[in-house]
Amino acid sequence: MAAPPLARLGMSTSRFLRDHWQKRPLLVRGALPSFRDPLSAEELAGLACEDGVESRIVTRTRTRYDVRYGPHEEQTFLSLPEARWTLLVQEVNRHVPGAADLLDAFSFIPNVRVDDVMVSYAAPGGGVGPHIDSYDVFLVQGQGRRRWRYGATAAGDVALVEGAPLRILRRFSPDHDEILEAGDMLYLPPGVAHEGTADTACLTYSVGFRAPNLAEMYMDLSDALCDLPAGAALYRDPQLAPQHNPGLVSPAARARVRSMIRGLALSDAEIDRWYARFATRLKPGHEIPRPARAPSWRAILRRLERGEVVVRSEEGRFAYLDEPRIYLYVGGEELPCHRAALPLIELVCSARRLGAADLLRASRAVAARELLVRLFTLGALSFVR
């Protein structure tokens, strides 16, 4: 992708993050002028027929919406009407390299915030109704035209239509009404009400960035704490005194429990490492496919010297910590690393496609070569087929 999506506005990423990120929408005409659809509507439909691919078909009439969840049968698409339906397929970046490459246009946002690239095909009049999302999304228009109506700020009225199969807003009063054409982009922060309706048959790419809620983080942290060795944090009361009523939760017991709970406050470094594992973890049911045979450094070197391109797995996020020790995180797995491997770590975390020359430069140290072999062995990196 030649230019960042904000270049057409002459806007820096710093200004965008300051003025718009999680604050207010931004429409960019011609944001990605060289963008070409990485798949056709027919290929998207084929993907929706596969096991393990999350998809929905939403049909609408004047009075109701209907939703069918995948995997779908090919016959289903032949029976759909000519208008007023939408196919939505999640995590297309896992299956279509060109869709994954779209994420590189937004590399100014941390990897741990990446959710997925959802692709929707809509027949004329197709849409999923007015709604709000709990995540940041960049809506990149592919072929065709889609009409977007949206608010200027987060919605105050979030009441939903009762009994609907989708979370459709009961009342919707948009501030903007725009038609997006190929290469246009609309950014919407969480909570902004919006509705997309196909003006013509069209493909739209929703590049989503999700933040975990506090409940998710508490649950995951509690699971991590459950892995502490048995007896590491037992309730102890060696100075127990007799009390008049055994049903009373005494001040001493309350103080002891408060102290135990507060004592679970891990060190900053421990919390950082837990968060990096949590934020890069795989979604339920996902795993990084490993190669049948672990490659050697010599085998990897031969292919790099031939100029072959390497790609990252889309099954897990890549991130690293550099304080005070260095850890690389891939799909929730923590890899302790030597500081000499830092150039390689920075490289593999920065892009999805990695050139042979760049990898050779970053792998001069023995520690970097060992890490590179491990990443290939894990299936986190692979050569382009």
Side-chain angles (χ1 to χ4, degrees):
M1 214 146 292
L6 304 172
R8 283 299 178 102
L9 295 180
M11 180 182 291
S12 68
T13 54
S14 296
R15 182 181 158 198
F16 167 78
L17 294 173
R18 183 193 68 202
D19 295 343
H20 291 273
W21 179 252
Q22 299 210 320
K23 301 175 188 71
R24 55 196 177 99
L26 179 67
L27 173 64
V28 186
R29 298 288 184 189
L32 298 170
S34 60
F35 178 70
R36 298 292 180 269
D37 293 283
L39 77 172
S40 66
E42 291 75 18
E43 289 169 330
L44 186 68
L47 197 58
C49 295
E50 296 182 11
D51 290 332
V53 176
E54 184 181 344
S55 65
R56 296 171 289 162
I57 295 174
V58 178
T59 54
R60 63 191 295 187
T61 65
R62 294 185 183 278
T63 59
R64 61 176 292 169
Y65 290 83
D66 289 303
V67 183
R68 282 177 280 182
Y69 293 92
H72 305 281
E73 300 292 335
E74 290 185 22
Q75 186 63 35
T76 299
F77 294 99
L78 299 177
S79 64
L80 289 170
E82 293 184 0
R84 301 178 69 82
W85 64 271
T86 302
L87 167 66
L88 304 101
V89 183
Q90 301 288 153
E91 299 181 318
V92 176
N93 52 298
R94 290 177 54 213
H95 309 284
V96 179
D101 291 342
L102 184 58
L103 285 162
D104 283 338
F106 305 95
S107 60
F108 55 91
I109 300 170
N111 290 348
V112 294
R113 294 283 268 106
V114 173
D115 187 25
D116 73 340
V117 178
M118 182 188 77
V119 182
S120 63
Y121 169 81
V128 298
H131 62 283
I132 59 173
D133 294 322
S134 60
Y135 51 87
D136 299 88
V137 64
F138 295 88
L139 299 160
V140 176
Q141 188 58 40
Q143 68 178 52
R145 299 191 305 272
R146 188 184 286 263
R147 177 189 184 191
W148 286 102
R149 299 191 299 152
Y150 56 97
T153 57
D157 184 354
V158 294
L160 303 177
V161 175
E162 294 183 8
L166 300 167
R167 296 177 60 83
I168 298 172
L169 293 172
R170 187 184 303 170
R171 289 171 289 274
F172 178 51
S173 300
D175 300 296
H176 301 279
D177 190 336
E178 304 285 353
I179 298 287
L180 268 65
E181 301 190 34
D184 291 345
M185 181 189 78
L186 173 63
Y187 163 72
L188 294 171
V192 171
H194 57 283
E195 179 182 28
T197 306
D199 188 55
T200 66
C202 65
L203 284 167
T204 303
Y205 301 78
S206 301
V207 183
F209 293 86
R210 189 181 299 274
N213 63 44
L214 189 58
E216 286 180 299
M217 291 196 288
Y218 267 130
M219 289 174 64
D220 193 85
L221 180 57
S222 66
D223 288 343
L225 292 172
C226 286
D227 292 334
L228 291 172
L234 288 175
Y235 179 92
R236 300 183 186 278
D237 51 4
Q239 306 303 320
L240 183 64
Q243 60 187 55
H244 174 67
N245 189 321
L248 175 68
V249 182
S250 70
R254 299 199 307 268
R256 192 171 296 112
V257 170
R258 288 196 297 265
S259 177
M260 286 182 67
I261 296 300
R262 290 173 182 142
L264 289 176
L266 306 169
S267 70
D268 287 350
E270 288 171 318
I271 293 173
D272 292 346
R273 290 172 62 188
W274 158 76
Y275 175 70
R277 289 192 297 271
F278 167 78
T280 60
R281 67 183 179 178
L282 300 170
K283 292 185 177 181
H286 290 202
E287 62 179 21
I288 299 177
R290 299 196 177 200
R293 292 180 55 189
S296 66
W297 164 246
R298 189 180 297 276
I300 294 171
L301 178 62
R302 280 199 300 269
R303 299 186 69 169
L304 290 178
E305 288 178 337
R306 291 201 297 264
E308 295 191 38
V309 175
V310 172
V311 291
R312 285 186 348 207
S313 170
E314 285 297 317
E315 295 295 339
R317 302 174 185 87
F318 284 61
Y320 69 96
L321 292 175
D322 187 13
E323 296 178 5
R325 296 184 58 189
I326 297 179
Y327 296 93
L328 174 63
Y329 297 85
V330 180
E333 183 164 351
E334 180 181 80
L335 306 177
C337 299
H338 191 280
R339 184 159 293 277
L342 184 57
L344 176 64
I345 293 169
E346 292 175 333
L347 177 64
V348 299
C349 287
S350 67
R352 284 168 167 74
R353 287 177 174 262
L354 306 163
D358 292 333
L359 281 169
L360 286 170
R361 276 193 297 270
S363 302
R364 289 171 178 159
V366 173
R369 296 175 185 176
E370 292 173 348
L371 175 61
L372 191 61
V373 171
R374 186 169 185 189
L375 291 174
F376 273 93
T377 302
L378 289 172
L381 297 180
S382 60
F383 285 98
V384 174
R385 293 184 176 86

